[in-house]
């Protein structure tokens, strides 16, 4: 483990597997699950559809899409 700044809030924390502090990781995980559930129910949706229905900011949707979960690759 090393010291790092949280990717979201910038707070200094002990970095393990995540680029986020524990609070931001919890928030990130909630948004991920909300997006995953929405896309499973609406596989033909666009980023703007997901934003309108889930309330997740477009920038966060794009960040989630560039990580392990790519629902908008169509």
């Amino acid at each position: 483990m090393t010291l790092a700044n949280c990717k979201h809030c910038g707070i200094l924390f002990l970095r393990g597997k995540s680029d986020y502090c524990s609070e931001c990781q919890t928030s990130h995980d909630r948004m991920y699950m909300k997006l995953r559930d929405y896309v499973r129910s609406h596989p033909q949706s666009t980023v703007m559809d997901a934003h309108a229905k889930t309330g997740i900011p477009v920038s966060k949707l794009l960040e989630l899409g560039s990580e392990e979960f790519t629902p908008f690759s169509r």
Side-chain angles (χ1 to χ4, degrees):
M1 287 196 207
T2 61
L3 285 176
N5 290 83
C6 175
K7 187 176 178 179
H8 180 73
C9 70
I11 193 171
L12 192 62
F13 75 107
L14 279 176
R15 182 177 178 189
K17 295 180 182 177
S18 175
D19 290 334
Y20 299 100
C21 66
S22 61
E23 289 180 32
C24 292
Q25 184 64 49
T26 300
S27 174
H28 178 81
D29 292 344
R30 265 192 245 115
M31 283 189 258
Y32 173 87
M33 298 300 281
K34 191 174 190 178
L35 178 60
R36 185 194 68 181
D37 293 343
Y38 175 77
V39 172
R40 282 184 178 171
S41 300
H42 305 87
Q44 299 298 320
S45 63
T46 65
V47 172
M48 294 309 292
D49 293 337
H51 166 68
K53 298 296 182 178
T54 64
I56 299 171
V58 172
S59 60
K60 189 66 174 180
L61 291 171
L62 295 174
E63 180 183 322
L64 288 168
S66 69
E67 292 178 355
E68 67 279 352
F69 183 68
T70 56
F72 305 111
S73 60
R74 296 177 199 256

